[in-house]
């Protein structure tokens, strides 16, 4: 199948060809036609499948064909969990929309709001936003969403996981009821299905990969290793394997910093990326990783969301995630858009329960390989070690919001936010 057969306009086809894409990915083949027909879509697609183009291309087409109002109200709203993902989506919109007369911008927290507000004042057709900053600006009366025609919830599972359910519900209240809704999620928990039922209207369901399974192009391996030898092992893998670009996941920000320092001491160009790093440091680390001046990027799960790094050859789980769905997200960073990749998990005995949960979720046993000199003590405890955040967060069912009567009648305000609602619920990451 070619992009021509999907019914996209010449302006979009020109931009796609400039990007070098020749064939639409499966998720694009399945999602673009129903979106162009104006239908609601519920898509199961993990990162790396080309899902962003799957919704941005048809949105650009619909909006470019629609009526142009001189004051340019926001007609498409894309909600996404993290700033990196938001910035990446905007970058894609700008590229795909290069030959169209549409304006787009992004808003997210952690940076000065003034430039964002100035952009909004000029009139914007497509807004990409993280829920927190959107609500802040709405509460200040700086944003109007009553002309939104298309709503996208991207990485909806992650938004729920980060505790954004209440924010999403508040945003829904100020959107016009008649609109097209698109929801993308890598995993489909009961909570996601419930959210979808509340927002989507007779959605067309499309799937790029089977539910909760990992991409076939990824070779997955588990190295059982003594906990205290993990740092030594990851350094050995990088140096002896002469790896040039490796994304390493840790469970905590502190763990990411510590490992980065050890790597730098061992002569590996490395940087950490996590919620405590300012936007400038995150952008710089990502740029260095992409241009090859950094060999290793050490990331927590939240920070890694939305990183667009094509053809990433290696992903290492320095620690297994305590939320099994995170494993699927993590390894989705490799084997992207058809390329082969390798995902290695360093597994210490205290992570036995995490490995069991991951294998249950993906429905397969991960192959184990011992590396001589690094094997764990066979008598080591298999109890999880408390690491600032315990297992209680693993099944992170979003809190059920209290009925918010203060907002019911108002179409212009989201009402007060609870102080605990910030962009990074898993504050340890
Ligand atoms: P995504 O899943 O949206 O994060 O996209 C993953 C990567 O695939 C990005 O680097 C895109 O630029 C790239 N991509 C998206 N669609 C295509 C396509 N049809 N052909 C080749 N690469 C693509």
């Amino acid at each position: 199948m070619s992009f021509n057969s999907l019914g996209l306009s010449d302006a979009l086809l020109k931009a796609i060809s400039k990007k070098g894409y020749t064939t639409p990915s499966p998720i694009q083949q399945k999602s673009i036609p129903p979106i162009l027909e104006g239908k609601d879509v519920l898509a199961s697609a993990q990162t790396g499948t080309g899902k962003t183009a799957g919704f941005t291309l048809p949105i650009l087409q619909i909006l470019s064909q629609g009526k142009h109002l001189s004051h340019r109200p926001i007609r498409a709203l894309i909600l996404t969990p993290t700033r990196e993902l938001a910035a990446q989506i905007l970058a894609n919109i700008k590229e795909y929309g290069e030959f169209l007369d549409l304006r787009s911008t992004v808003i997210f927290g952690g940076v000065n709001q003034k430039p964002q507000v100035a952009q909004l004042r000029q009139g914007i057709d497509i807004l990409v936003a993280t829920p927190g900053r959107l609500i802040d600006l709405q509460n200040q009366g700086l944003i109007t969403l009553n002309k939104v025609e298309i709503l996208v919830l991207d990485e909806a599972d992650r938004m729920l996981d980060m505790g954004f359910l209440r924010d999403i519900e508040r945003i829904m209240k100020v959107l016009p009821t008649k609109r097209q809704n698109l929801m993308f999620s890598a995993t489909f928990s009961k909570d996601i299905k419930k959210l979808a039922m509340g927002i989507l209207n007779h959605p067309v369901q499309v799937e790029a990969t089977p539910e909760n399974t990992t991409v076939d192009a990824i070779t997955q391996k588990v190295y059982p290793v003594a906990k205290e030898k993990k740092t030594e092992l990851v350094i050995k893998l990088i140096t002896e394997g002469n790896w040039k670009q490796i994304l390493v996941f840790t469970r905590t920000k502190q763990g990411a910093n510590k490992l980065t320092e050890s790597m730098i001491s061992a002569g590996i160009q490395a940087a950490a990326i996590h919620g405590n790093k300012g936007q400038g440091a995150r952008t710089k680390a990502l740029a260095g990783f992409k241009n090859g001046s950094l060999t290793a990027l050490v990331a927590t799960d939240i920070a890694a969301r939305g990183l667009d790094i094509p053809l990433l050859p290696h992903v290492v789980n320095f620690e297994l995630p305590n939320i099994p769905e995170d494993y699927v997200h993590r390894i989705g960073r490799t084997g992207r858009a058809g390329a082969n990749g390798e995902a290695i998990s360093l597994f210490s005995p205290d992570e036995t329960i995490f490995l069991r949960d991951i294998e249950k979720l993906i429905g397969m046993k991960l192959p184990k390989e011992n590396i001589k000199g690094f094997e764990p003590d066979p008598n080591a405890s298999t109890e999880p070690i408390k690491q600032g955040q315990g297992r209680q967060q693993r099944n992170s069912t979003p809190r059920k919001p209290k009925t918010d009567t203060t907002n019911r009648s108002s179409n212009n305000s989201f009402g007060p936010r609870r102080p605990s609602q910030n962009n990074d619920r898993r504050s340890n990451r």
Side-chain angles (χ1 to χ4, degrees), residues 10-12 14-16 18 94-101:
D10 287 346
L12 287 170
K14 194 169 152 193
I16 292 166
K18 201 172 161 194
K94 297 263 186 218
E95 285 173 327
Y96 304 144
E98 185 185 344
F99 306 108
L100 297 172
D101 176 27

Side-chain angles (χ1 to χ4, degrees), residues 135-148:
I135 286 184
D136 284 345
L137 296 187
Q138 166 78 20
N139 280 343
Q140 295 172 56
L142 297 169
I143 206 161
T144 311
L145 297 170
N146 61 6
K147 293 278 186 278
V148 169

Side-chain angles (χ1 to χ4, degrees), residues 89-262:
I89 294 171
L90 181 75
N92 284 351
I93 291 173
K94 297 263 186 218
E95 285 173 327
Y96 304 144
E98 185 185 344
F99 306 108
L100 297 172
D101 176 27
L102 288 171
R103 289 196 210 144
S104 50
T105 196
V106 64
I107 59 171
F108 48 68
V111 292
N112 189 335
Q113 73 172 43
K114 271 193 191 156
Q116 298 176 354
V117 173
Q119 283 267 319
L120 290 169
R121 286 224 171 94
Q122 288 173 17
I124 288 296
D125 301 290
I126 305 171
L127 179 66
V128 188
T130 54
R133 178 55 62 94
L134 181 69
I135 286 184
D136 284 345
L137 296 187
Q138 166 78 20
N139 280 343
Q140 295 172 56
L142 297 169
I143 206 161
T144 311
L145 297 170
N146 61 6
K147 293 278 186 278
V148 169
E149 296 164 24
I150 308 174
L151 169 73
V152 181
L153 297 178
D154 188 31
E155 307 221 344
D157 50 347
R158 182 52 49 122
M159 285 202 276
L160 289 197
D161 201 21
M162 287 171 73
F164 284 135
L165 177 63
R166 191 175 154 89
D167 289 351
I168 292 171
E169 289 176 339
R170 286 177 168 187
I171 293 164
M172 292 308 119
K173 286 183 191 165
V174 298
L175 297 180
T177 47
K178 190 173 170 299
R179 54 170 201 265
Q180 185 177 8
N181 303 288
L182 315 173
M183 189 189 281
F184 287 74
S185 191
T187 52
F188 274 84
S189 63
K190 267 197 220 114
D191 292 319
I192 281 287
K193 286 177 180 154
K194 198 168 144 205
L195 181 72
M197 274 166 64
I199 293 178
L200 302 170
N201 188 13
H202 300 296
V204 174
Q205 295 201 23
V206 297
E207 223 175 272
T209 45
E211 267 186 33
N212 296 336
T213 57
T214 46
V215 178
D216 284 345
I218 303 169
T219 309
Q220 301 172 70
K221 272 187 213 159
V222 171
Y223 292 151
V225 55
K227 196 167 189 64
E228 64 281 3
K229 290 206 165 169
K230 283 190 173 188
T231 304
E232 195 189 331
L233 179 56
V234 75
I235 290 171
K236 176 185 154 79
L237 290 171
I238 296 171
T239 46
E240 292 185 5
N242 200 17
W243 291 356
K244 298 283 181 236
Q245 203 184 33
I246 162 179
L247 181 60
V248 186
F249 284 95
T250 60
R251 268 208 300 275
T252 66
K253 295 185 269 208
Q254 295 80 359
N257 287 340
K258 214 169 139 215
L259 179 60
T260 306
E261 281 164 24
S262 304

